[in-house]
Amino acid sequence: MGGCLFLCLVLLSGSLQGECGSTSSHPIKCSLGFIPCSDNSECIQNRYFCDGEADCRDGSDEAKCSSSCEKDQFQCAHGRMCIEKSQVCDGVPHCQDRSDEVECTKYMEGCSHQCDNKSRCIPSSFLCDGESDCSDGSDEAKCDKEDCSDKEFKCTSGQCVLAPMRCDGHPDCRDRSDEEDCTKVPACNTKLRCPQSKECLVQEWICDGDQDCRDGTDEKDCPPVAPVNCGEFQWLCKSKTKCIPTAWMCDGMKDCNDGSDETECQAVTCAPHQFQCGSQECLDPNLVCNGITNCADGSDEGGSCHTDCAEEDNMHCSQGCYNTPQGPRCRCAAGFRLMEDGLACADVDECKVQTPGVCSQLCINTPGSYRCDCQPGFIMEADGHHCKITGEPLLLSSIQTDIYLYGLRSHSLVTLPSSAKKAVLSLDYDWKGQKVFWVSLGMDAIMWSSLDQKMTGSLIKGVRADSIAVDWVGRNLYWINGVKSCIAAIRLAAASASSLDQSIILDEDLDQPRSLALLPQKGLMFWTEIGNVVKIERAGMDGSERRAVVNSSLGWPGGVAVDAVSERVYWTDERLRAIGSATLDGNDIRILQIKETTNPFSVAVFNDMLYWSDAKKRVVQAAHKISGKNHQVVLKKPRQPFAVKDMLLRLLGKMLCSKLKLYACPSGQIYLQSQHTAAELKGWPEHLALQIPSVNKANLMDYSLKEHTLFVTDDATSSLSSFRLKDSLLTSRDQLLELLDDAITAMAVDWITLNIYWSSYKQPRLQVTAVTGTYTAILIKEGINRVGSIALHPPSGRVCFTNMDLEATGSTATIVCASMDGGEQRVVWKDAVQPTSLVFSNNGDNIFWADTSLGTIGSVLIDGSGYTELKVDDGLTAVAVSDNILLWITVTDKTRLWYKEAQQDKKLWFEVGTQVVGLKAFSKPSQMGSNPCTENNGNCEHLCLATPAGRTCKCSYDHILLNATQCSPEQHCPAGSRPCLDHLSCLPVEKFCDGRGDCTDHSDENCVGTQRRPGAEVLAPTQPHSSPPPPSSVSPVSQVTGLHTTLNVSIQRVNLDAQQCSQRRCSGNGHCVETKGVTTCVCSLGYSGDSCENRLVKTMQGPIVYAAVGLCAAVVIVIVAIVLVKRKKSANLRGNGPSAGKEMSMTDLESKAETIPTSHTASAEKPEVDLP
């Protein structure tokens, strides 16, 4: 017949191509995420390139593919496609044959049972829990019913309830078996009972639509349903017999009995890639102009369907062209939308445009699609959209004077001990202390009951509390005092406290506060106000930044709860007979009005479900937190329920937000504590104090998270040592370096190789020493006067340091950045005065520093552009960066630690009466990544130094490179001698580490450990320590503001008779120095006076490191070097403040979370410091 067969192909790229054995010579235009085939005839998605299957018609997508994968990649089973190992068993198939999601047992934490053809693995807690988690149903097969305890009754279904609930007149088993075969008619406290089956009834249960009598008499002969009056946020069905929430209209589900809620809907909106019929149907483009009528009105056929897409159309359309009745049109693949130009396609962010609740927790947009993910501690369900907690979810509820612990899966019911005489109106719990705290009507105390059902007690007496909330991060308890109209707090402690121990958080402009909820992860508290102006307010947990977040769509707001997963606040509204919610900022207000929310009292939220108590109907109910559907009756008892509280998210505290902060002091301890703002803590929050062994004056510190190793310089011995942190103890590992007549001024550890970058007074250059101490090399020595601070970013191979110009006037310091091998130097900032605490952002693009002279925190991009600064309070001492959080310390009359997140205002974390001389922060994100030195030391024999382009092998100063990696001893010194580090002279071997400095830079006394030669005499240090010496008229410790501050004048300590001078001239409490020919004393910290004769305060003996826990995804360690100067405790303005936190274990600290309250940012004349 001649001619050619015209094929129309719908490709994955969305290109509709017609051809007759020819290829286009013009380059095809592909959109982001697509690549062209070699013949330029079509585009395919990137992920189909080298996947083992030919997707291009010319097969070019599989033509030049490697047959093997890299070491850090996974090869799909069916072909040559390689994916990252991190994508294996992540719940999302990346291989077309899904081989990356098969046999995932070894990849999944808590994996116990494989199912669905080994494509899914679930933990043991999912087995036989009554919920089907495997599509093949194997998780609920072969389930043996567990035995109940001696104190429980086993229902026929296997459910366990307390033995006293047997035959008590009310069914507690879900199958009602606890009320069967009863020998006696139960005594009812209610006035009603079922006429035949004899269960106890209350009036509100009759004709409520829920059968309570086994004989069904409570739901018989009910009056006909009368016409109803709908609420403000409801819609009346056409039958006029039912009201539904307005959100249920046109949601695709018939909720009215007559289906009227789905009949009067507006025009359907099609997906961006679809064709919309005139009759409103939505069609895939391949069904348009295919010769078959698919639209009811036929609008998908006819017209200009015969006009085919020309080659030029395909060239201009980024994802192809297709025929329509209106003529050729550009088309986009599913998950993309056509731009306004009608040619290009852009990705659709389904996470923003999809109906709320498509992903129950986390939604991650991907090119052309999206995927759901779960918070730590949850596992994705088989549907790929919903998450399930790995443990048993529990619900706390008070029913009159009883406190119940209810298992939401097992339906187990446990009663906790209670001494309440009247209704328990509010409760919360402390998982660490294993206690439930509660308040009862008419009881002036906050009580507790142990979760082991054995004990009760009181937390504080002599206070009125209407609503309570536990701060499980900072370990405080907050409450509302409705009589005094205030919000107060107290530390959670073992011993009972009195009203004098409370701290008042807020007591101004509170009218009638009703209910309180906390979000410790963000340092926020919310409360409902039912006074003259009803509203829901928010403030920091220290009472700062208070504002009304909801002041509309309210009637009578009662209970309040916060959903940490969706970051929404929920409240009950008794007047509107509804449950409302809004974002934490008060936006996107939603009101859920259903027939079951007629009398809501208290509310709790967990995962997808909303729980609330109805004291009038005497039930605890649940429904989906967004739609209000999937309604359930959780508890139903003759007595009235009041408080409800979920018991889950705090069990996940360690996973959801586990951050760690460490503080250290030159008198030598480390403190760990929880970052939290409860009335701006006076004194250390909860912490762990770790003694640093064999260190007298700890000053500079660094830490390796991977090796759990702390590196500390000791000014007293001019040494550098390492310590292993294990089981909350620091144990000595090695002394890596010991100098003579010198002091280390700057030090930083490369956390990949553990090489140590350092500088000292007598060796004012940038040099690096291997962690073994055996290899040292000079990197930069020209143009350096003194290095005051060093920062490293090993993944990018960069180092920055401060160069202190001691003789210049005006600007006295520059910030220099270079490759970690010393190459590619450049000054990135030249207008600093006293910069210290250099630190990189996590991504290595920014460098931050504290200028103690200017009182500013500066930041600049690594190329020297984009300078910003933040002006802070007087006494700036140090700065640190943790993820998106800026932390800094000021020392004036008190030592204060501040923090600031992104564009928000600064916040005070805590203040103490101790002088801080150092601050560092670490997190897993800050020590993530690799470089060519990661594996096998980069094959370098001595030192592997990362660079932005790769790595450089460097030999120790007395060796030379034989080739790219190997080293050989340098031969320029005579036999039996070695060169000094500065290569200016050679000395006999016996001169090294003999206790006397013979090299001009004293580098012959850079000794590893304490292995000095026998008979070596170690003189007293004759150089100033790295801590700044005060002037002859020493300011009190509380006024010292410098950190690692170097002097603007040249100082040399008197060498002759140094020990005698220190003892006689400086009273043994300092060191003699000579400044321009005048001998003065440099006093040790804690002493002042011309002769260091005045002891300011008693100091603790030995170095201490303090560490503290902070917020959210990774472990953060903050090291603070402090002088432990004991001071008289400051009295709380409204009573005694919270006591200093008790000591705790490292395990305890890792379960804490850092709290960063939201706030507003203040403007400044210069660009303000922001975090990348």
Side-chain angles (χ1 to χ4, degrees), residues 30-323:
C30 297
S31 63
L32 184 64
F34 289 79
I35 56 175
C37 298
S38 294
D39 61 4
N40 284 321
S41 64
E42 56 189 320
C43 299
I44 65 169
Q45 292 188 34
N46 286 333
R47 62 192 181 99
Y48 296 139
F49 184 76
C50 290
D51 65 350
E53 295 182 1
D55 298 288
C56 292
R57 280 171 293 183
D58 62 0
S60 59
D61 58 312
E62 302 296 324
K64 298 180 180 179
C65 300
S66 173
S67 59
S68 61
C69 298
E70 299 294 332
K71 289 183 179 180
D72 59 347
Q73 292 181 317
F74 172 85
Q75 188 164 32
C76 300
H78 79 315
R80 290 171 290 182
M81 184 178 183
C82 299
I83 64 172
E84 298 299 320
K85 283 188 176 180
S86 61
Q87 296 177 311
V88 178
C89 293
D90 63 354
V92 179
H94 301 278
C95 297
Q96 286 188 347
D97 61 358
R98 302 178 67 92
S99 58
D100 57 319
E101 295 300 319
V102 175
E103 297 183 359
C104 291
T105 303
K106 60 185 177 182
Y107 296 98
M108 297 183 66
E109 182 180 354
C111 175
S112 176
H113 174 75
Q114 284 190 327
C115 58
D116 299 342
N117 195 26
K118 294 187 177 180
S119 65
R120 180 168 171 77
C121 191
I122 61 174
S124 58
S125 60
F126 285 19
L127 299 177
C128 300
D129 64 351
E131 299 178 1
S132 180
D133 299 291
C134 296
S135 299
D136 58 16
S138 59
D139 60 314
E140 297 300 318
K142 301 179 182 179
C143 293
D144 295 326
K145 297 176 181 178
E146 297 183 2
D147 291 332
C148 300
S149 69
D150 295 338
K151 298 180 180 180
E152 294 177 314
F153 170 78
K154 188 174 184 179
C155 308
T156 304
S157 64
Q159 177 188 355
C160 299
V161 299
L162 292 173
M165 294 180 180
R166 166 79 169 137
C167 295
D168 64 351
H170 179 72
D172 298 287
C173 296
R174 296 180 74 82
D175 60 7
R176 311 176 68 90
S177 58
D178 59 317
E179 297 302 318
E180 294 177 354
D181 302 323
C182 297
T183 57
K184 295 182 179 180
V185 176
C188 292
N189 294 324
T190 60
K191 297 180 180 180
L192 301 173
R193 70 169 68 242
C194 301
Q196 298 176 21
S197 51
K198 305 303 181 182
E199 295 98 333
C200 301
L201 275 178
V202 293
Q203 182 65 44
E204 289 77 13
W205 293 356
I206 299 176
C207 294
D208 66 348
D210 184 23
Q211 182 176 318
D212 299 290
C213 296
R214 190 167 63 250
D215 55 24
T217 53
D218 60 312
E219 298 300 319
K220 289 182 179 180
D221 302 323
C222 294
V225 178
V228 293
N229 294 318
C230 295
E232 179 183 353
F233 302 94
Q234 292 180 318
W235 186 80
L236 179 64
C237 298
K238 284 292 185 66
S239 62
K240 298 184 178 181
T241 59
K242 186 177 182 180
C243 299
I244 64 169
T246 52
W248 291 9
M249 291 184 61
C250 300
D251 65 351
M253 297 178 63
K254 292 183 179 180
D255 300 293
C256 292
N257 298 330
D258 56 7
S260 57
D261 57 311
E262 298 298 322
T263 58
E264 299 181 5
C265 299
Q266 297 178 354
V268 177
T269 301
C270 295
H273 73 285
Q274 292 180 318
F275 173 87
Q276 186 156 24
C277 304
S279 49
Q280 301 304 310
E281 298 97 331
C282 300
L283 300 180
D284 284 331
N286 61 320
L287 298 178
V288 181
C289 294
N290 65 347
I292 301 173
T293 300
N294 294 288
C295 295
D297 61 356
S299 57
D300 59 319
E301 299 296 331
S304 299
C305 277
H306 62 279
T307 304
D308 296 325
C309 293
E311 182 178 345
E312 185 177 348
D313 294 326
N314 284 318
M315 287 175 55
H316 291 116
C317 296
S318 65
Q319 291 188 10
C321 170
Y322 75 113
N323 298 347

Side-chain angles (χ1 to χ4, degrees), residues 695-706:
V695 173
N696 297 315
K697 289 184 178 295
N699 187 38
L700 305 176
M701 300 193 187
D702 212 338
Y703 187 76
S704 166
L705 288 171
K706 181 180 178 181

Side-chain angles (χ1 to χ4, degrees), residues 264-495:
E264 299 181 5
C265 299
Q266 297 178 354
V268 177
T269 301
C270 295
H273 73 285
Q274 292 180 318
F275 173 87
Q276 186 156 24
C277 304
S279 49
Q280 301 304 310
E281 298 97 331
C282 300
L283 300 180
D284 284 331
N286 61 320
L287 298 178
V288 181
C289 294
N290 65 347
I292 301 173
T293 300
N294 294 288
C295 295
D297 61 356
S299 57
D300 59 319
E301 299 296 331
S304 299
C305 277
H306 62 279
T307 304
D308 296 325
C309 293
E311 182 178 345
E312 185 177 348
D313 294 326
N314 284 318
M315 287 175 55
H316 291 116
C317 296
S318 65
Q319 291 188 10
C321 170
Y322 75 113
N323 298 347
T324 76
Q326 291 75 38
R329 296 287 187 271
C330 291
R331 63 165 291 171
C332 297
F336 293 86
R337 61 181 175 85
L338 194 64
M339 301 289 284
E340 293 180 359
D341 62 5
L343 301 173
C345 295
D347 176 56
V348 174
D349 189 346
E350 291 86 356
C351 296
K352 291 184 178 179
V353 302
Q354 289 273 21
T355 303
V358 167
C359 292
S360 68
Q361 291 191 359
L362 303 175
C363 182
I364 301 169
N365 186 50
T366 61
S369 185
Y370 72 99
R371 66 182 177 90
C372 299
D373 205 350
C374 299
Q375 297 278 8
F378 291 82
I379 290 180
M380 182 64 69
E381 297 200 53
D383 63 4
H385 294 275
H386 296 87
C387 300
K388 184 174 179 178
I389 189 74
T390 54
E392 164 83 357
L394 304 171
L395 185 73
L396 268 174
S397 179
S398 66
I399 297 183
Q400 211 75 29
T401 58
D402 296 326
I403 300 174
Y404 288 97
L405 192 58
Y406 180 73
L408 293 173
R409 282 195 202 136
S410 65
H411 308 296
S412 61
L413 194 60
V414 174
T415 304
L416 300 182
S418 168
S419 57
K421 304 301 181 184
K422 296 183 179 180
V424 174
L425 298 180
S426 180
L427 50 72
D428 205 344
Y429 72 99
D430 171 33
W431 189 256
K432 181 184 177 183
Q434 291 287 287
K435 293 177 181 178
V436 173
F437 294 94
W438 51 272
V439 292
S440 175
L441 191 64
M443 182 179 288
D444 289 340
I446 298 174
M447 309 298 292
W448 58 263
S449 301
S450 63
L451 286 172
D452 62 7
Q453 309 171 51
K454 294 180 180 179
M455 295 184 295
T456 63
S458 63
L459 173 68
I460 183 172
K461 295 180 179 180
V463 298
R464 163 74 180 268
D466 301 296
S467 177
I468 62 173
V470 170
D471 166 19
W472 49 276
V473 174
R475 303 209 26 84
N476 301 301
L477 185 138
Y478 289 65
W479 70 91
I480 284 177
N481 185 327
V483 173
K484 294 185 177 180
S485 295
C486 68
I487 298 175
I490 193 171
R491 296 284 291 174
L492 291 176

Side-chain angles (χ1 to χ4, degrees), residues 640-660:
Q640 291 179 302
F642 290 100
V644 289
K645 194 76 178 181
D646 66 284
M647 285 187 65
L648 241 333
L649 286 183
R650 281 163 236 193
L651 308 185
L652 303 173
K654 182 175 180 179
M655 294 173 281
L656 287 175
C657 36
S658 173
K659 289 190 173 182
L660 187 65

